[in-house]
Amino acid sequence: MEHKQDLILRLRLGERMITIGGASSPYRLLSSGFSGGEAAEAVTDCMEHAQLDGALVLSRHLSGRDLTLTFEIADYDNREKYRAELLSFFDPMADGTLTVIRQGADGKTVSRSAACMLSGRMTMTQETLSSYIRVKVPLYCPDPYFFSDVTETAASRVASPLFSFPLTVTEDTGVVSGLIRHDDTVTVWNLGDAPTGFLLCLRAVDSGGTAGIANPVITREEDGAYIRILTTLAVDDTLVISTVPGAKYVLKNGENCLRFDRGSSFFPLLRGKNTLRISSDAMPEPPDTVISYRNRYFGA
């Protein structure tokens, strides 16, 4: 059976991980050994009319993914050792992460990961005593946009120079003086196939006074969606807001702070350009701002 040379899979279950494929791995992925990760399945719910032709579409959604991994224990002399390790590794109740690493013809490597879990029984077969042990693993990914970048993309608020000029105090010495504007917006680009949640961290900075940031607001300028947190940040206070599906929260200095305006929506980043504006009822100086997110894709 032909092995897949340009594809490496890393499967983590609980605290343990195995690598399938690659020169240093004892597990060799077969040429058709990774299925179910190419495209999302669209499910349409309809109601048929009793008197009219056609149907009424009630809803459309993407279902989770069923994946199958098929590989061989390529180290024939130590096959029983690796058989025992695999039996111990595949904990039926452990949640995990599957990372797919593809090597392109141009030499570039693309890595994407997905949360997953075992959805059935891992099986091992050996056709003859002299053949390799073949392993088949069924996995389930509950998120239809299941593959995302392995590393996060991050952006921060920057200071924009307005003008500057040299100031000479004595001959051959001097400084550059000028004026800068601390921008209150952060522009990020979601280059994935679907909207994605983000993690936003705000830290109040010293503006030379004692006033804090009252009721900070994060607004997506493309459509006006906003999140308004009802709290006051003193100097060096931090506020962390997560809009990641299934993990939405607000933390002030590490503690829960779920006091927000009723019109707030924990909006995601849309596909393409997103401009987030930071404002508040009272803000002598825009806070230090860092946003991080992972692009999400239909497949790997």
Side-chain angles (χ1 to χ4, degrees), residues 154-165:
S156 59
R157 182 181 59 81
V158 297
S160 303
L162 296 182
F163 64 89
S164 62
F165 56 90

Side-chain angles (χ1 to χ4, degrees), residues 234-252:
V235 175
D236 288 335
D237 280 353
T238 60
L239 190 70
V240 178
I241 301 172
S242 172
T243 71
V244 178
K248 298 179 180 180
Y249 58 81
V250 180
L251 299 177
K252 178 182 178 182

